[in-house]
Amino acid sequence: METVFTKILQRVSRVSLYSIVLLMPLFFLNITFEKMELGKYMLFYALTIISFLSYLIRIIILKGVTIRRTHLDIGIIVLWFAFLLSSILSKERFISFFGDFSFMGLSFLGITIMIIFFFLIVQHADSLAEAMKVIYLLLASGALSAVYFIITATKLLNLPEVITWPAFNLAHGTNSLFGVFMIIIFVLSLTLLAIRTKSLALDGFALAVFLLSGAAMLLIGFKVVIMILAAAIFFMLVFFLSHLDWVRRVWGPVVFTLFIAVLLMGIFRVPSFLTANLPLEIALGRGVSWNIARDTITSGVKTFLFGRGSGTFGYAFSEFRPSVMNLNVAWNVRFKQPNSSALGWLADHGVFASLAFLGIVLMLLGSVITVWIRHVVELNKKKKIMSEKIETEKSLYDSPLLYWGLVSAWIVIAVSFFFVYFGALHWMLFWLFSALVASSSIQASKLQPITISLKTTPQYTLIVSFSFIFIFAVIIVASVFVGRFYAAEVLYASSVSQEVDVKIQTLQKALGMNPNHAMMNYNLAEAFLSKAASVSQSGGDINQVYQMVGMAVDAAKKATEISPYNAAMWQNLSRMYENARNIAPDANTWVISSLERALRLEPSNPVLYMSLANARLLGNDYDGAKTDLEKAIELKPDLLVAYVRLAMIEQLSNNLDGAIAAMERGLPYRGLQNAEYLLRTGILYFNRNNTGDYPLSEIAFRRALSLNPNYSDALYALGHLYDITDHKNLALPIFEKVLELNPGNQDVQNRVDSIKKALKPAPQPEPAAEEDSGEPEGE
């Protein structure tokens, strides 16, 4: 029997859910490195757990519960089980179970809480009127989010500097994902506008949200946003045409016109005067994303079925990264996510979970199609009756368009799954609309709820009680762990601006809360190294310097132990060993072994080959260094520094011809557009001094100066060339310009004085006086 306390619990459970919908599009925190997604996930976790605990306590007090079922229940259980197997078999179990707090994605903990959220929405949104409360909150939140974006994108107002505000939007770190959210808000507001109601307040609210979301999407103007919007309007047009008697007459033509306009903008781009000046968003290409996902699942039976585990796409990217990416502008970026959630899901969770997810989508789509067919048939049979009902309708909740508005929003988010990579808000929206659509379809499908009583046999009561206690224990333990991890992230972020001694203490404290954070361990290693440099520069105890360097190496090694399949961690470890060369004779060998391990994980990275070549050079392994440099050039032909290193090796072997040949190989690959590279090439020509080398040297120096007229080194080299080839009149103004760029440089001043002295004409001798002839003067 319901009591005041159980009613309060029910209200707490419901309000917590509604708060998620209202707050997630707007919520962010500046106290961690990941300022957007991490805060949203933590908010979602906290409020869902509060709602679920209130729900469970109410069940215990009432000694029974009635659970509404959906057609998705079995599919969702299979999906959860597939996620569990994928996380257990993951090479990064901690990240797969709890998530990477520096780059939040959907972990096992995340999918579990998402499923709980779905379940709670189904239980609480037991009527269309109740579901619409959720939609009103979402529309209000979307309107505020749109206002913020319009203000920041157009720079209409200066926001107060009390906190650091996100650059453009509050919903996600990328504007394209914010655009997807705006499409959903646009669809829902358009649905409300199209329904015949007598509420001016509701119409005004819906119109305001409609205009704000539309303006936000135009300001974004990204093609992916426009094309998804076109698909959304198309589906709405289909639904409207199937229910014309329920649609306000003006909105049928409006929706059709919108569809044509948006489709044209998708084909020919949004006019530039309508879009804002937004930063370019760099993302992994669709083709590369597909190739990496395909290569991942075909690399073994286990990865085919269960993938590599949640949050591990970055490792798959390193392993299967195509060498053609080295010619891309973002060639040195390690991408942690693919082009879309669908490909990320395939790579991280394998075919089993992907098919389970696809099955959920298809089951829900099947129920929608069934409802749509039934509605069309009923409307055709009872058109006159329905028309008479509409004329006297006072409540909008009887309109079937509300259901189709929810379906349209769900279709938008489901389609987006295959085109963009979801953030926390978008996963919440997927499960929210899946729950609302499934809940709205329950009555049509005549699916009966399950009633569970705790007043049966003692054995049954004992089992149920044990189950509840186990669930409570799991929730509390997981909450404590996640709370500690989040507190560690707060400390981690605060360490950035601290002095090195305080920074070390803060990072050690953070690692006490979350010792499985690889990047935090590496940052501790850098802090130790910074401390060592500080002590060394101040003339401190050399033993303390050695101790700090050793602790830096140990912290970096810990990072590789935590993430042994992360190429970046092995590259970072090699850098720590590089700094230990002065105190450990074998450190260079450790540098080489760390880089070789990194290359096994990321074989197409030319930077790793470059670093390995440098380490081999220090070990006087010239042949090994040349092999590594050639591999780097093979992977990235325009890597000019590799040609410079090859030339240096040839110089060390007194082979100037080989050095020049190495430099000439790089000239077609942007070498002619690099002033420093041209200078080095010109110096080699000058030093060889074969027939015709000086003119080639002059051409190289002058080409470098055409790229950078104030390049002092090139000016000096050209002046020196003119000086020794006895063109001092050409050399003088060049050295004078060098002196102007480097005032007080005594060497240049001496060259100027020397050339001026050489150019100064020799003094002419005075004319000789007439000699006395000794003859007497005439009379």
Side-chain angles (χ1 to χ4, degrees):
M1 181 178 177
E2 287 282 2
T3 65
V4 173
F5 186 57
T6 58
K7 290 179 180 179
I8 292 174
L9 288 171
Q10 185 177 29
R11 182 168 296 179
V12 168
S13 181
R14 186 166 288 169
V15 169
S16 298
L17 290 178
Y18 293 176
S19 297
I20 291 173
V21 177
L22 176 65
L23 296 177
M24 274 196 73
L26 306 172
F27 190 76
F28 70 96
L29 288 173
N30 285 318
I31 58 177
T32 58
F33 275 118
E34 213 303 313
K35 294 176 173 55
M36 190 75 73
E37 291 297 292
L38 182 56
K40 292 184 187 298
Y41 271 110
M42 292 300 106
L43 175 74
F44 181 79
Y45 291 172
L47 291 178
T48 302
I49 288 172
I50 291 172
S51 177
F52 190 48
L53 288 176
S54 301
Y55 181 81
L56 290 179
I57 294 171
R58 180 173 177 271
I59 291 174
I60 293 172
I61 294 174
L62 293 176
K63 300 184 185 307
V65 63
T66 299
I67 298 175
R68 302 179 78 217
R69 294 186 297 154
T70 72
H71 288 298
L72 308 182
D73 295 345
I74 295 177
I76 288 175
I77 293 173
V78 172
L79 177 66
W80 182 86
F81 184 68
F83 241 89
L84 177 62
L85 289 177
S86 176
S87 300
I88 291 173
L89 298 173
S90 172
K91 293 181 177 180
E92 290 280 0
R93 288 193 183 92
F94 178 82
I95 291 177
S96 294
F97 272 100
F98 294 101
D100 183 352
F101 279 67
S102 62
F103 175 79
M104 287 300 292
L106 196 62
S107 60
F108 173 75
L109 175 65
I111 194 67
T112 301
I113 295 182
M114 292 283 178
I115 291 172
I116 293 172
F117 174 75
F118 170 89
F119 169 81
L120 292 171
I121 290 291
V122 170
Q123 304 314 310
H124 288 297
D126 51 4
S127 67
L128 196 54
E130 196 66 37
M132 288 309 298
K133 293 179 183 178
V134 178
I135 299 307
Y136 292 145
L137 290 173
L138 184 63
L139 288 174
S141 184
L144 292 174
S145 189
V147 169
Y148 178 86
F149 175 77
I150 292 170
I151 289 173
T152 54
T154 60
K155 299 180 181 178
L156 289 174
L157 296 174
N158 292 323
L159 296 171
E161 297 182 1
V162 179
I163 60 173
T164 303
W165 296 90
F168 288 99
N169 75 83
L170 302 171
H172 192 269
T174 60
N175 292 315
S176 55
L177 269 292
F178 172 72
V180 173
F181 173 54
M182 285 294 100
I183 294 172
I184 293 173
I185 300 300
F186 184 84
V187 164
L188 294 173
S189 60
L190 182 57
T191 301
L192 292 179
L193 287 172
I195 297 174
R196 296 179 177 179
T197 67
K198 296 181 180 180
S199 173
L200 292 177
L202 179 60
D203 289 344
F205 171 71
L207 182 60
V209 176
F210 174 78
L211 294 175
L212 287 170
S213 57
M217 287 185 290
L218 285 177
L219 286 172
I220 295 171
F222 293 166
K223 187 170 184 178
V224 64
V225 174
I226 299 302
M227 294 310 295
I228 295 175
L229 176 61
I233 296 176
F234 170 78
F235 283 109
M236 291 196 71
L237 193 59
V238 172
F239 296 145
F240 283 7
L241 290 175
S242 302
H243 300 77
L244 279 177
D245 291 335
W246 292 91
V247 180
R248 286 175 173 170
R249 293 180 181 179
V250 67
W251 285 102
V254 167
V255 174
F256 183 78
T257 304
L258 279 174
F259 174 67
I260 299 299
V262 171
L263 190 62
L264 290 175
M265 285 189 286
I267 297 172
F268 300 107
R269 296 186 61 184
V270 179
S272 58
F273 68 90
L274 293 176
T275 60
N277 185 20
L278 301 176
L280 181 67
E281 295 180 358
I282 298 177
L284 196 60
R286 187 171 302 279
V288 175
S289 298
W290 161 248
N291 290 337
I292 291 173
R294 180 200 60 204
D295 293 342
T296 300
I297 64 172
T298 56
S299 61
V301 176
K302 186 182 76 172
T303 53
F304 178 80
L305 291 174
F306 306 111
R308 288 174 175 263
S310 298
T312 61
F313 181 84
Y315 305 157
F317 170 80
S318 292
E319 183 176 353
F320 300 111
R321 173 183 181 273
S323 57
V324 70
M325 280 199 68
N326 293 318
L327 303 179
N328 190 283
V329 66
W331 69 275
N332 209 16
V333 177
R334 286 188 172 103
F335 288 92
K336 291 187 176 182
Q337 63 185 46
N339 182 268
S340 69
S341 285
L343 295 175
W345 196 288
L346 185 63
D348 285 357
H349 311 299
V351 173
F352 185 19
S354 298
L355 289 177
F357 182 83
L358 186 61
I360 291 172
V361 173
L362 292 177
M363 282 189 287
L364 192 53
L365 186 61
S367 68
V368 167
I369 293 174
T370 301
V371 173
W372 180 69
I373 293 173
R374 198 192 78 250
H375 272 237
V376 171
V377 172
E378 288 181 356
L379 287 174
N380 287 334
K381 290 181 178 178
K382 303 178 181 179
K383 185 175 180 180
K384 182 177 179 181
I385 297 174
M386 295 298 292
S387 298
E388 292 174 354
K389 182 180 179 182
I390 294 171
E391 293 300 324
T392 60
E393 186 63 63
K394 294 183 179 180
S395 173
L396 71 94
Y397 300 126
D398 291 327
S399 172
L401 289 182
L402 286 179
Y403 173 77
W404 296 115
L406 295 176
V407 170
S408 298
W410 175 79
I411 289 175
V412 168
I413 199 69
V415 169
S416 301
F417 176 80
F418 297 93
F419 291 95
V420 296
Y421 192 82
F422 280 6
L425 173 63
H426 301 81
W427 278 119
M428 185 277 289
L429 290 172
F430 174 82
W431 291 106
L432 172 68
F433 285 106
S434 295
L436 292 178
V437 172
S439 180
S440 301
S441 303
I442 289 175
Q443 186 175 359
S445 62
K446 298 180 181 179
L447 197 62
Q448 297 300 316
I450 297 175
T451 300
I452 299 175
S453 174
L454 305 184
K455 300 177 182 179
T456 55
T457 63
Q459 295 88 345
Y460 181 77
T461 303
L462 180 64
I463 293 173
V464 173
S465 300
F466 175 80
S467 300
F468 276 114
I469 293 172
F470 178 76
I471 292 171
F472 272 109
V474 169
I475 291 174
I476 291 171
V477 170
S479 300
V480 170
F481 271 98
V482 172
R484 286 173 59 86
F485 299 156
Y486 187 73
E489 289 298 317
V490 174
L491 288 172
Y492 182 29
S494 69
S495 69
V496 174
S497 57
Q498 294 174 341
E499 295 292 333
V500 63
D501 291 326
V502 180
K503 183 175 185 177
I504 290 172
Q505 295 175 2
T506 302
L507 288 172
Q508 288 175 331
K509 185 177 180 180
L511 284 168
M513 296 180 178
N514 183 7
N516 295 306
H517 199 305
M519 200 61 199
M520 200 183 297
N521 275 280
Y522 178 68
N523 274 269
L524 179 61
E526 286 191 321
F528 282 132
L529 200 61
S530 178
K531 176 66 175 178
S534 176
V535 173
S536 177
Q537 290 170 4
S538 63
D541 185 2
I542 191 65
N543 291 324
Q544 186 182 4
V545 174
Y546 292 164
Q547 182 185 17
M548 290 294 110
V549 173
M551 294 173 74
V553 171
D554 289 341
K557 286 176 64 177
K558 177 66 175 177
T560 61
E561 292 169 4
I562 295 169
S563 294
Y565 300 98
N566 189 336
M569 291 299 107
W570 289 100
Q571 185 180 15
N572 293 337
L573 178 60
S574 73
R575 292 169 182 159
M576 290 298 118
Y577 283 137
E578 287 174 1
N579 289 281
R581 283 177 178 139
N582 294 331
I583 62 174
D586 295 331
N588 197 58
T589 303
W590 301 336
V591 172
I592 292 173
S593 63
S594 298
L595 288 169
E596 287 176 338
R597 179 66 180 269
L599 277 166
R600 287 198 291 272
L601 298 170
E602 196 170 75
S604 65
N605 189 338
V607 173
L608 295 177
Y609 279 105
M610 278 294 310
S611 300
L612 187 57
N614 292 336
R616 294 195 197 280
L617 276 174
L618 286 175
N620 296 320
D621 182 6
Y622 293 169
D623 291 337
K626 288 173 68 174
T627 300
D628 292 329
L629 289 170
E630 291 292 353
K631 184 62 178 178
I633 290 171
E634 179 186 340
L635 291 170
K636 186 172 175 58
D638 60 348
L639 190 63
L640 298 181
V641 67
Y643 299 106
V644 173
R645 290 288 189 278
L646 278 176
M648 185 181 72
I649 293 173
E650 297 296 345
Q651 281 183 281
L652 292 173
S653 303
N654 296 316
N655 181 11
L656 279 179
D657 290 340
I660 290 173
M663 295 297 287
E664 287 177 338
R665 288 171 59 189
L667 290 174
Y669 300 103
R670 296 188 301 176
L672 292 173
Q673 286 77 46
N674 188 296
E676 183 181 354
Y677 192 85
L678 288 164
L679 173 62
R680 289 176 177 273
T681 306
I683 291 173
L684 287 174
Y685 284 129
F686 179 86
N687 291 336
R688 188 173 65 174
N689 192 18
N690 285 348
T691 303
D693 278 347
Y694 278 180
L696 289 174
S697 182
E698 179 185 6
I699 292 171
F701 295 152
R702 286 198 169 278
R703 180 62 184 262
L705 289 169
S706 69
L707 297 172
N708 183 2
N710 294 325
Y711 190 6
S712 294
D713 291 344
L715 285 166
Y716 189 95
L718 182 61
H720 180 67
L721 174 65
Y722 286 148
D723 188 13
I724 68 166
T725 56
D726 204 24
H727 292 83
K728 298 186 185 297
N729 59 323
L730 297 176
L732 180 58
I734 294 175
F735 277 117
E736 287 178 334
K737 185 171 183 180
V738 176
L739 187 61
E740 179 185 339
L741 294 170
N742 302 273
N745 189 306
Q746 192 58 47
D747 176 61
V748 179
Q749 183 67 60
N750 293 338
R751 294 296 295 266
V752 170
D753 294 341
S754 175
I755 294 172
K756 283 182 176 180
K757 184 177 180 181
L759 290 175
K760 186 177 181 180
Q764 298 295 324
E766 295 182 7
E770 293 185 6
E771 295 182 2
D772 188 359
S773 62
E775 297 180 0
E777 294 181 4
E779 298 180 354

